[in-house]
Amino acid sequence: AQTVTQSQPEMSVQEAETVTLSCTYDTSESDYYLFWYKQPPSRQMILVIRQEAYKQQNATENRFSVNFQKAAKSFSLKISDSQLGDAAMYFCAYSWSGAGSYQLTFGKGTKLSVIP
Amino acid sequence: SAVISQKPSRDICQRGTSLTIQCQVDSQVTMMFWYRQQPGQSLTLIATANQGSEATYESGFVIDKFPISRPNLTFSTLTVSNMSPEDSSIYLCSVGTGVYEQYFGPGTRLTVT
């Protein structure tokens, strides 16, 4: 079974600084997708960024970028120029393309605080 | 992406009663999902709801406790039956798009007293 591990229950960052959230996963599949979701106190789950396993290039969305290391099964999220609105729970998630069912497996989450 | 709404946004219910949560999408989607998020925890998939077929439940979740309907491609309901305080959670619906990503509704916060 696929598992997703986020080893940092809580992180903090100064406003305008950069922070990296860690995620590792376990799978025997070669074709899959990885995601980072953000959940602010409003509880709305927001898709931050997506990475296809077959792509070597790391995904980037504005201030958010990932470091995808397929061999190490590592998928970290870097947030640059942190803003107060970035404070939230961040969940790493895995989806196996071969299942055909789009199921997501989530990590336990990292709570990010942004210090003004 | 898709715009997803859920009703109610929150509710406080007495033990032994049932609550039906509605999920509405602004476009037709094949797959809809229901998740439970217990306080301070991550998301756990309850079931996958495909239009025109029975919902597929994950281990630990049964149809008698969490019956699901999926009458068309834009709507689904989840009922939490015979509630106990352990059912106090956030319940979220999501929809699957063509690239294996999911978009989530705003969630329903349920408190059972």
Side-chain angles (χ1 to χ4, degrees), chain A residues 90-110:
Chain A
Y90 285 82
F91 292 97
C92 179
Y94 165 100
S95 178
W96 174 40
S97 58
S101 65
Y102 299 70
Q103 288 187 14
L104 285 173
T105 299
F106 287 90
K108 292 186 180 298
T110 297

Side-chain angles (χ1 to χ4, degrees), chain A residues 56-90:
Chain A
Q56 292 186 337
Q57 186 173 6
N58 290 324
T60 299
E61 289 287 341
N62 301 313
R63 298 183 295 107
F64 299 88
S65 62
V66 299
N67 183 6
F68 173 50
Q69 302 289 328
K70 191 172 183 178
K73 296 180 182 175
S74 171
F75 182 62
S76 60
L77 175 69
K78 185 172 81 172
I79 306 174
S80 304
D81 185 25
S82 296
Q83 301 175 0
L84 294 178
D86 294 333
M89 284 291 292
Y90 285 82

